[in-house]
Amino acid sequence: MKLRSVIVDDSSLQRIAVAKLINDHPNLLLVAEYSNALEARKGIESNEIDLIFLDIEMPIINGFDLLESMSSRPQVVLITGKADYALKAFDYDVTDYLHKPLSSARFNISVKRAVGKYEQLNKVNENEEHIVVKSNLKNRKVFLDDIKWIEALGDYIKLVTDDANIVILSTMKSFKQKLPEDKFLRIHKSYIINLDKIEKYTSKNVEVSGKQIPLSRNKKTELMEALNTPS
């Protein structure tokens, strides 16, 4: 297993040093290097990244500013030449905090922590049914139990979960084929619902998480059969 990693540092010499450590480590794969936070944010959002090696002291936008600007973050190992950032660093739930100059031994400890955290986070859900979708040029794992409903949006569809709305390029027909028939039902030309998420329904609507979703007239019987309810 290799953690897909990026370096964010305005110093070319420091990037070279960190890149060598990454390339020499069997559990890391260097995906990209960035000299500033603006390029880094754009690149990280466009790729599936597991770990960021992030310099704190950068001009204009520093490492903390970059973390603040990201809606979701991979694991982060902060790198700094100053010791007085340590307390603030862990407010961001970073995996580790490294001081310059970096040593191979201390770097390897950080990687071991990152690998352990990655395995722990993924082990929790390893047996859960999931699908992989592409959204915003990134592959994302979506657990079926997290999906509340799927909604048609022209040439796209929207997966609505508790945590996010994920928009992907697909038709409803082709996406429905990826879903287990005993858990999901297309109740309208524009909606597929997770049967386990239904709170109540009428002859015209199904309620999921407080939202009224239209029920096609010819789908009512199919819905009742799926829910094992009498007509």
Side-chain angles (χ1 to χ4, degrees), residues 34-229:
Y34 302 103
S35 61
N36 64 73
L38 288 175
E39 290 180 0
R41 183 174 63 184
K42 184 177 180 180
I44 292 166
E45 289 177 348
S46 300
N47 293 280
E48 191 73 22
I49 303 300
D50 302 308
L51 182 61
I52 307 173
F53 291 93
L54 176 62
D55 183 30
I56 295 177
E57 299 98 0
M58 294 186 294
I60 305 177
I61 301 176
N62 65 30
F64 291 126
D65 293 333
L66 173 60
L67 295 181
E68 289 280 3
S69 71
M70 298 173 69
S71 56
S72 61
R73 299 193 289 264
Q75 290 192 67
V76 177
V77 172
L78 287 174
I79 300 174
T80 178
K82 299 180 181 179
D84 51 357
Y85 288 120
L87 187 60
K88 183 177 180 180
F90 286 95
D91 287 339
Y92 293 86
D93 191 31
V94 300
T95 298
D96 207 355
Y97 181 86
L98 294 177
H99 290 282
K100 301 176 185 178
L102 304 183
S103 71
S104 178
R106 185 63 183 83
F107 180 86
N108 290 341
I109 290 173
S110 290
V111 176
K112 185 176 181 180
R113 290 177 179 172
V115 169
K117 189 172 182 180
Y118 177 89
E119 290 177 342
Q120 183 180 28
L121 290 171
N122 286 274
K123 186 176 181 180
V124 174
N125 294 315
E126 64 182 1
N127 294 320
E128 290 187 35
E129 289 185 274
H130 68 273
I131 55 175
V132 176
V133 301
K134 179 166 283 190
S135 177
N136 293 327
L137 304 178
K138 297 172 64 175
N139 288 323
R140 296 184 59 164
K141 181 188 288 187
V142 181
F143 293 99
L144 297 183
D145 286 343
D146 291 342
I147 299 174
K148 295 192 288 188
W149 71 82
I150 298 104
E151 184 175 345
L153 295 173
D155 293 332
Y156 293 81
I157 62 172
K158 178 172 69 176
L159 278 59
V160 178
T161 73
D162 289 327
D163 299 323
N165 294 334
I166 304 167
V167 177
I168 64 174
L169 179 62
S170 175
T171 63
M172 294 286 275
K173 182 178 179 180
S174 64
F175 192 79
K176 185 177 182 295
Q177 295 173 355
K178 300 179 181 181
L179 302 171
E181 293 183 358
D182 61 330
K183 290 188 176 182
F184 290 87
L185 179 67
R186 187 171 185 177
I187 62 167
H188 185 273
K189 65 179 182 179
S190 298
Y191 290 94
I192 298 170
I193 57 166
N194 185 334
L195 294 168
D196 291 335
K197 303 292 185 181
I198 294 176
E199 295 166 353
K200 56 186 177 182
Y201 70 92
T202 67
S203 60
K204 295 183 178 180
N205 296 290
V206 171
E207 185 170 318
V208 178
S209 296
K211 177 180 173 65
Q212 298 294 322
I213 297 173
L215 171 64
S216 294
R217 185 165 46 187
N218 62 351
K219 288 290 184 177
K220 182 182 177 183
T221 300
E222 193 175 344
L223 175 63
M224 290 190 296
E225 289 174 353
L227 295 175
N228 294 315
T229 57

Side-chain angles (χ1 to χ4, degrees), residues 8-20:
V8 186
D9 198 312
D10 63 309
S11 166
S12 59
L13 292 176
Q14 186 66 25
R15 292 198 305 274
I16 291 171
V18 178
K20 185 178 187 310

